[in-house]
Amino acid sequence: MPRRLIAPALWIVAGAALAAWAWFGPGVLDGPSRTTGLLPYLLAYCVLTVGAISLVLRLRPGGPWAALAAGLALTVLVLAVPWWSAGRQGQQDVAWSATSDEADAKVVGDRLYLLLRSATDGPARLEVRDLPSGAARWGRDLPGATGEQIAAVTDDGAVLVEGSPGGRESVTRFSPQGVRQWSRPETQVLAATPGTTVLQECTERSYRSCRMQGVDVRGRTRWARTYVPEDEVERRVRDGDGPEAPAPSVVALVEPSINDTGTRVTLLDADTGQPRQQVRTAPTGADLAMARGRSVTVLSGRDGACRWQVLDATRTRTTTLPGSCPTASLRSLGPDQLLTGGTVYGPGPRAQVLDLRTARPRTMRYAQSGSTSPQVALDLEGTDPSAVDPFTGRRLWPLGPERTGQQRTGQQWFVGGAVARFRSLDGEAVNPFLLRDPGRPPRQVELLAPRTGQRLAAVVCDDFTAVDSVGDDWVLVRCGDELRLVAPSG
């Protein structure tokens, strides 16, 4: 290298080294580790500019004006890199995003069903999107509706919406292609198939009476039944953090027994209204009677044990579980599995997984009621928070401390097909070129593999609102007024 170029080269190397230190911090090879602010960057750009101008002058290609232009061009180029990185930070794993102010979102299969409520007086809007791509399948305005919500989605993609247009409660059905099929004054959807929707309307006179109707796709009544309900029985369980199941295709008809002891539960075919199976519980009555998929699950306690019965179109299968029926902690683990118990971590018969397809329970000794899937259970209360195998208790991967000194780290966990973690990035690496509210540290949602804890994808957002659903390789996140699908970018 000619001697006249040594000084400019040193200026450029010094500027590049200063810029690297400003971005990566002391541990350059470890990646971004802390925020250093804009001052080191500006100093680095000044050093680089001096080096560029000096280099051009030493080469003498066009005089001082050319040198100044070259120096400014280099400065703009170097400035563009961190600003471009700032724009990309937190977005590289966002498969798609959509504005969703006050949205009711349901994920069923590979479709996202959105009920968008207007922040002004405009009509609500029902939209159906392809989940992987975010592409809109169809959308319909719902003029005059108030208090609307997505009540159910059928196996073939028809949507049932509950609302109160004109102050009167009603149910409206849209076909899988978005065609409005009918609207009825009944207030509750019990079941739905591609051809029939089962609606219910209850009245209070001298006693409580309910009328149940099966309605076809043209809004005509196919069958009807009036009955006196047993209201002390739970009809639903808490959904987990994963996608939701389609509407059941059978109905659980729950009535007091004729002799007024116990409960009579009948499985009705949604399309015909015909009874298929019936059970009578112990004198204390049923604790839970719930239709899910093509079966009805009944839990009833007696003599210190819990009898679990699964009714389908052809048979009734019965299993006895130890202890009382824990309906308060019952939650869904997916379309065909329920988790019962699991409120205390440690060995022992703490929880049971109920498989609705086989009607067989499986003991899950290390379950956590709100943080468990068939692949992983999160032990958040121990001195060493970690993910464990829910059946064997084998430690899989550490979760990180819940506290630093006396301060909580603010981590929140969501368990579906995979695991999602929400945490604040206060004090951690943040691109200083990002325009942020200094009083509000950015938040990050990470998608983690359930068995290894490997980070699959992540998103950074200033105004984190909620995690809507966690799939096997995606997480649906609300960031302010945006709904974002976060998935591995490939």
Side-chain angles (χ1 to χ4, degrees):
M1 177 184 295
R3 290 184 178 180
R4 68 177 186 273
L5 301 182
I6 294 178
L10 291 177
W11 278 102
I12 292 174
V13 170
L18 183 58
W21 177 85
W23 173 244
F24 290 101
V28 174
L29 298 181
D30 297 330
S33 60
R34 65 188 181 95
T35 299
T36 57
L38 283 176
L39 184 59
Y41 281 97
L42 297 178
L43 181 59
Y45 299 148
C46 291
V47 173
L48 284 169
T49 302
V50 171
I53 294 174
S54 177
L55 179 63
V56 174
L57 287 174
R58 297 297 176 88
L59 293 175
R60 298 186 182 88
W65 289 108
L68 181 60
L72 292 176
L74 179 61
T75 300
V76 171
L77 178 62
V78 176
L79 278 169
V81 172
W83 254 296
W84 176 85
S85 176
R88 289 286 298 167
Q89 184 176 344
Q91 300 294 326
Q92 61 269 22
D93 291 330
V94 177
W96 56 264
S97 62
T99 302
S100 59
D101 191 25
E102 299 183 20
D104 179 17
K106 288 183 181 292
V107 177
V108 180
D110 61 352
R111 295 287 185 271
L112 171 64
Y113 298 84
L114 286 172
L115 192 57
L116 306 174
R117 301 180 182 88
S118 174
T120 60
D121 294 332
R125 181 172 177 81
L126 176 64
E127 290 186 358
V128 179
R129 293 176 176 266
D130 180 77
L131 183 65
S133 67
R137 293 288 177 175
W138 54 266
R140 294 289 180 273
D141 288 334
L142 305 176
T146 58
E148 44 312 267
Q149 62 178 352
I150 299 174
V153 178
T154 66
D155 286 328
D156 67 338
V159 187
L160 283 304
V161 177
E162 295 177 352
S164 304
R168 184 180 183 184
E169 295 183 345
S170 68
V171 175
T172 304
R173 175 167 171 142
F174 294 88
S175 75
Q177 294 75 36
V179 178
R180 184 180 182 277
Q181 295 178 313
W182 48 258
S183 184
R184 302 267 304 212
E186 287 81 7
T187 60
Q188 186 178 10
V189 177
L190 298 182
T193 70
T196 306
T197 303
V198 181
L199 305 175
Q200 177 173 273
E201 177 76 21
C202 295
T203 58
E204 297 282 355
R205 295 187 177 91
S206 57
Y207 60 92
R208 182 171 169 82
S209 174
C210 295
R211 177 177 170 82
M212 186 185 299
Q213 297 185 71
V215 180
D216 67 15
V217 295
R218 296 185 178 181
R220 300 175 301 189
T221 299
R222 301 183 65 177
W223 59 268
R225 174 188 289 261
T226 301
Y227 73 104
V228 176
E230 176 56 80
D231 291 328
E232 299 301 319
V233 179
E234 290 286 341
R235 309 298 178 86
R236 296 190 60 179
V237 299
R238 291 182 299 127
D239 287 321
D241 297 325
E244 298 187 23
S249 58
V250 296
V251 180
L253 177 64
V254 186
E255 305 169 283
S257 293
I258 296 176
N259 58 5
D260 202 26
T261 60
T263 306
R264 182 175 60 194
V265 181
T266 307
L267 182 147
L268 302 181
D269 183 275
D271 288 313
T272 64
Q274 295 298 312
R276 300 301 186 190
Q277 298 292 322
Q278 186 179 91
V279 296
R280 288 179 170 83
T281 68
T284 54
D287 295 290
L288 171 78
M290 177 191 67
R292 196 172 184 89
R294 301 179 182 277
S295 65
V296 170
T297 297
V298 181
L299 294 177
S300 57
R302 183 176 185 180
D303 299 330
C306 181
R307 186 169 66 167
W308 171 43
Q309 296 172 290
V310 179
L311 292 66
D312 58 30
T314 59
R315 58 181 174 170
T316 298
R317 292 166 286 180
T318 302
T319 301
T320 300
L321 305 175
S324 59
C325 295
T327 55
S329 62
L330 201 64
R331 65 183 289 266
S332 167
L333 288 185
D336 301 306
Q337 289 186 325
L338 301 176
L339 175 67
T340 171
T343 57
V344 179
Y345 177 81
R350 309 288 186 181
Q352 300 282 338
V353 178
L354 312 182
D355 192 313
L356 304 183
R357 295 168 298 182
T358 64
R360 293 180 180 177
R362 186 179 179 189
T363 300
M364 187 178 278
R365 296 180 182 274
Y366 293 83
Q368 293 286 313
S369 179
S371 305
T372 300
S373 75
Q375 291 79 34
V376 66
L378 305 185
D379 172 22
L380 303 173
E381 302 300 328
T383 57
D384 181 21
S386 57
V388 302
D389 185 287
F391 297 102
T392 67
R394 179 172 64 89
R395 188 174 187 269
L396 299 176
W397 46 277
L399 302 182
E402 283 295 298
R403 290 180 179 272
T404 302
Q406 297 298 318
Q407 299 296 322
R408 296 188 65 87
T409 58
Q411 294 186 122
Q412 296 180 32
W413 297 89
F414 306 86
V415 180
V419 177
R421 174 174 63 181
F422 158 75
R423 63 192 182 98
S424 171
L425 294 180
D426 190 14
E428 296 193 25
V430 180
N431 190 325
F433 287 86
L434 285 170
L435 300 178
R436 298 186 181 275
D437 182 354
R440 175 184 292 178
R443 277 84 167 169
Q444 183 180 62
V445 178
E446 298 170 292
L447 181 68
L448 308 175
R451 300 293 293 182
T452 65
Q454 176 187 0
R455 189 168 85 167
L456 305 176
V459 64
V460 176
C461 58
D462 291 328
D463 193 11
F464 170 78
T465 306
V467 168
D468 272 0
S469 186
V470 184
D472 293 334
D473 57 359
W474 53 265
V475 56
L476 193 63
V477 178
R478 294 178 192 257
C479 291
D481 61 353
E482 276 194 346
L483 194 66
R484 301 178 181 177
L485 186 82
V486 183
S489 56

